[in-house]
Every structure is written in C-alpha cells, then in structure tokens.
Amino acid sequence: MPRGRAANGSGLQPRLRKDGRWEVRYSAGIDGRTGKPRIKSLYGTTSEEVARKLREVTASVDAGTFIEPKRMTLAVWLDRWLSDYTAGNKPGTLNDYKGHCDNHIKPALGAVRLCELQPHDIQAFANRLAKQPSPKTGKPLSAKTVRNIIQGTLSKALSEAVRIRYIPMNPAAGCILPKAGRREIQPLEGEQIAQFMQAIRGNPSEDLFFVAINTGMRLSELLGLRWSRVDWKAQTIKVDAQLMVKRGTGSDRALGTTKNGKPRTFKAAPAVMETLAKVRKEQLAHKVKAGQTWNNPLDLVFTDESGASIPHATVEHRLSRIMQGLGLNRRFHDLRHTFATECLRIGVPAKTVSEYLGHSSVAFTLDQYTHVTGIMMDDASNRIQAVISERMRNG
C-alpha cells in the first residue's frame, strides 16, 4: 500500500500490523528541543477506524486544540466524551451526564491525567460521595445516586476511552459501590382500588388514570401515546414511544424511544378501548371548538382542550391531590404496580404480564413482584394439598 508523508498534522496511509491491528502515524507538531516533527501513532481494528481517528486528530491539530492522550486530563476527556460520543442518548440522559460531570466528577478528579487515573482514585472518590451531602436536601447522597455517578457516567466515559485506546483499562470497573436498596412496591389493594376509581371521577386526568391502572403503561408512555398506535379493529395498543420531559423554556415537546428501546403491542380490555373512544370523541369536539388555534402536531391521545401535550408534573400533581384525599402515599408508577399485582393475583400468566409491562424478561417480572408470587405459591400449595387429601381418601 503506498504511503506518502503528508503535511504537518496529517498522517501516512493506514497500514496493517503483524498483530492484526491497523496503525496510522501522524505529525503532532514540532519538538521544541530537536526541531523535528513529533511522530505519533493511532491504532484501531479496521483501516476505517484509524482513518476516522486521524481525521479527528488532524482537525484538532489544525484548530490548535489538540491534546496528546498522555497529557489529557480527565476533565478534558469528559468534555470530549460528552460532545463527541453521546449523541445517541436522550436529552434527559445527557443532562444527567453533564450534571454528574460538572457537579461531582470534575471538581474531585478533573485535574488528574486520564492515563494516570487509578482504581484507588475512583474508590476513594466513591467513598467520599457516599458521605457527601446533597446540595438540594443536605442529606448524604443515596446509594442509587452514587452508583449513577460512578457506573452510569464515569465508568461509561472511561469505557469509551478504553475503546479508542486512550487508556488500556477502565479504572472504575472494579469499584466497590454502596448497594442501592430496592424501593418498596406499594400497589393499591382491595378497597383502595375501588376508592381510587371513585375519587378520579370528574378529574381532568380521569381517563388517563383509568387507562394507566388498567394497562400498566408508564406516565411518559401514556402522554406520548398517538392515535395511530390505537388499533380499533384488533383492540390493541402499540407502545413504541414516550413523551420526553420538557427541559427549559421555549423547548418543544418531543417523543423518544421507550425505556428499553423495544416497542410492545398488547390487547386492551374492552373498558379501556371504550374509554379511549370517549377521549377521541371529546378531543374532536375540542378541536372543532378551538379551530385554527388547535395544536396537536404529534397526534397525541391525551391533550388539553387546545391540543397541547400535558406536562408530566401536571398529571403527577393531580394524582398527588387524589392520593392525599384518600390518605394514601402513592406515586403514579404505583398504578403500574397495581395493574401487574392484580393480573398476577387473578392468575394471568407471568409471561403475559411481562409482555404487557414491556419487561426485559419474565424472571425480572417475577423478581419484581415476589410479594404476589409468594401468595400465589401459598394458594398453589393449598390446592396441591387438597388433591393429595382427595387421593388419600380415595386410596
């Protein structure tokens, strides 16, 4: 393969090494001591990968922003990771990444060179985080927050640095983190369900609450549900998007993928479809009344009287008022837990419940609702005992 030496900041043609890796060399400027070009190498698994890396380095050299990986600090790498390697993430996730970096990681470790960062540096940082008071509450950060900062942000950034061979290993990989306790599931039970159904009557979000407790859909999924995903003939609902939380004034509401990125379709109970038909009829009446001011570009099912999407906080506030009136402490997500619990209690197969909820596996569903499966096992053992007793009597 021909290899012609290029201008300063550029490189030679990629070459295949004996160890199977591709290599391209480039000039990283002039060595002040010798006056000669400083020749560096980039490595990758394919020629396209090293060519891409070369283009990135060339652009930064030309712009005067190039920093040799060996001299790069963690703070500089985090900025580069956020700007160049996180484009596929949701806006809310990106905000979390940036907040973790700016508020916690950079102040503590930002000045450390990326190549010199050691596992004990990360461990000491994690230990301090576990004792550090939250700027919002003044209480120590929760185990979940600490894990999100270390595993969810720092470790991901360092894994990317490993992938592009800036560092040989991820120093955060073996960090011992506090165990995040599972939040107790608090579904509505028995008479509470009947009381809730009575209390939501006349509420502006009555129909949304009804669909939620009878389908197990998440709040963002309900607010992002479009009419094109309601199949009246098959009596099914397709969940393939969620309405993103609005961040900042002037920003438009947008749809994102579901929590696990996988769409699901389930058959809804007739009462749910009847409720959606009522919502459709009322929405069409609002549309006629609003005329040219109607604004529902996403064709959402649940909107206000002008066609605008409903803020998450508005629905949560309405539910909070209802729960307070009932003397209960429940979140919107507990409506999802109520649906799942009731399904399992009446004998709906766990696999079917898992598909309704969009869980990654049946095992996850069973683990999530062990309180229900325990009751089901007690019932099963009683039935088995009844069969044994009957056999013994007949024997």
Side-chain angles (χ1 to χ4, degrees):
M1 183 179 294
R3 298 192 299 170
R5 192 173 293 278
N8 180 43
S10 298
L12 304 175
Q13 293 291 336
R15 70 182 183 92
L16 184 62
R17 293 164 49 95
K18 291 182 180 180
D19 62 5
R21 293 185 298 166
W22 284 84
E23 176 190 11
V24 65
R25 296 182 178 179
Y26 65 95
S27 171
I30 303 299
D31 189 322
R33 292 175 299 177
T34 65
K36 296 180 180 180
R38 290 189 293 128
I39 304 301
K40 303 292 182 181
S41 292
L42 296 169
Y43 302 95
T45 55
T46 66
S47 61
E48 291 79 8
E49 182 182 353
V50 294
R52 175 182 58 78
K53 290 181 179 179
L54 178 62
R55 288 193 297 271
E56 294 176 357
V57 169
T58 300
S60 61
V61 169
D62 292 343
T65 60
F66 174 71
I67 299 176
E68 188 177 345
K70 289 184 178 180
R71 297 180 178 275
M72 183 181 297
T73 64
L74 176 61
V76 171
W77 167 244
L78 289 173
D79 288 339
R80 187 165 295 181
W81 173 69
L82 287 170
S83 64
D84 298 338
Y85 295 94
T86 59
N89 289 278
K90 299 173 183 176
T93 302
L94 293 178
N95 280 347
D96 289 341
Y97 286 161
K98 191 173 188 309
H100 292 161
C101 290
D102 293 344
N103 299 328
H104 300 286
I105 303 173
K106 285 184 184 179
L109 300 171
V112 180
R113 286 188 179 182
L114 180 63
C115 64
E116 296 177 354
L117 194 61
Q118 298 296 314
H120 66 262
D121 297 324
I122 309 293
Q123 186 63 62
F125 171 53
N127 294 343
R128 291 196 302 271
L129 279 178
K131 301 176 182 178
Q132 179 179 318
S134 166
K136 292 183 179 179
T137 65
K139 299 179 181 179
L141 296 177
S142 68
K144 184 176 186 299
T145 299
V146 173
R147 297 181 75 89
N148 286 342
I149 294 170
I150 302 295
Q151 287 185 334
T153 300
L154 179 56
S155 186
K156 285 184 180 178
L158 294 174
S159 291
E160 192 63 37
V162 172
R163 189 186 70 80
I164 63 175
R165 300 180 189 274
Y166 274 11
I167 52 177
M169 50 83 72
N170 183 346
C175 186
I176 300 174
L177 300 174
K179 294 183 179 180
R182 178 184 293 179
R183 186 165 185 172
E184 183 181 356
I185 290 175
Q186 292 185 302
L188 298 175
E189 299 177 346
E191 187 63 25
Q192 292 176 341
I193 298 177
Q195 292 172 351
F196 174 76
M197 299 302 291
Q198 178 69 29
I200 65 175
R201 290 182 181 177
N203 189 282
S205 292
E206 174 186 353
D207 297 322
L208 187 149
F209 292 145
F210 183 89
V211 176
I213 200 171
N214 290 296
T215 63
M217 290 174 66
R218 300 177 177 92
L219 176 56
S220 292
E221 294 171 345
L222 285 161
L223 294 177
L225 180 63
R226 291 160 288 175
W227 286 115
S228 59
R229 272 51 178 179
V230 179
D231 189 327
W232 301 104
K233 185 176 181 180
Q235 300 282 284
T236 60
I237 296 174
K238 182 176 183 179
V239 181
D240 62 354
Q242 61 176 334
L243 188 68
M244 308 305 292
V245 176
K246 186 175 182 179
R247 298 182 182 275
T249 57
S251 59
D252 294 329
R253 301 302 295 272
L255 295 175
T257 58
T258 55
K259 185 175 181 180
N260 61 6
K262 297 180 180 179
R264 67 184 188 277
T265 300
F266 58 84
K267 188 157 187 174
V272 171
M273 299 304 295
E274 290 170 6
T275 297
L276 291 177
K278 179 169 74 76
V279 172
R280 182 63 170 164
K281 182 178 179 180
E282 292 174 351
Q283 190 183 80
L284 289 174
H286 291 317
K287 182 177 181 180
V288 171
K289 186 177 180 179
Q292 294 183 348
T293 63
W294 180 258
N295 182 33
N296 185 13
L298 298 177
D299 195 31
L300 299 176
V301 171
F302 295 104
T303 66
D304 64 16
E305 295 183 0
S306 65
S309 59
I310 304 173
H312 291 65
T314 297
V315 179
E316 291 169 338
H317 178 69
R318 290 170 179 169
L319 180 69
S320 178
R321 294 287 297 274
I322 290 172
M323 292 300 181
Q324 287 176 8
L326 294 174
L328 300 172
N329 180 23
R330 298 292 191 277
R331 307 166 300 153
F332 190 93
H333 207 70
D334 289 321
L335 300 183
R336 175 176 169 86
H337 293 320
T338 300
F339 171 76
T341 299
E342 287 300 294
C343 283
L344 291 170
R345 187 184 63 79
I346 64 176
V348 176
K351 179 173 175 54
T352 302
V353 177
S354 181
E355 291 172 350
Y356 264 105
L357 300 177
H359 283 166
S360 57
S361 67
V362 179
F364 179 85
T365 304
L366 292 173
D367 183 60
Q368 187 86 342
Y369 299 102
T370 52
H371 66 293
V372 188
T373 54
I375 296 173
M376 293 169 64
M377 289 185 70
D378 289 342
D379 182 59
S381 68
N382 291 333
R383 293 184 183 185
I384 293 171
Q385 177 60 36
V387 171
I388 293 174
S389 300
E390 181 67 22
R391 288 172 180 168
M392 293 177 66
R393 284 195 299 270
N394 293 336

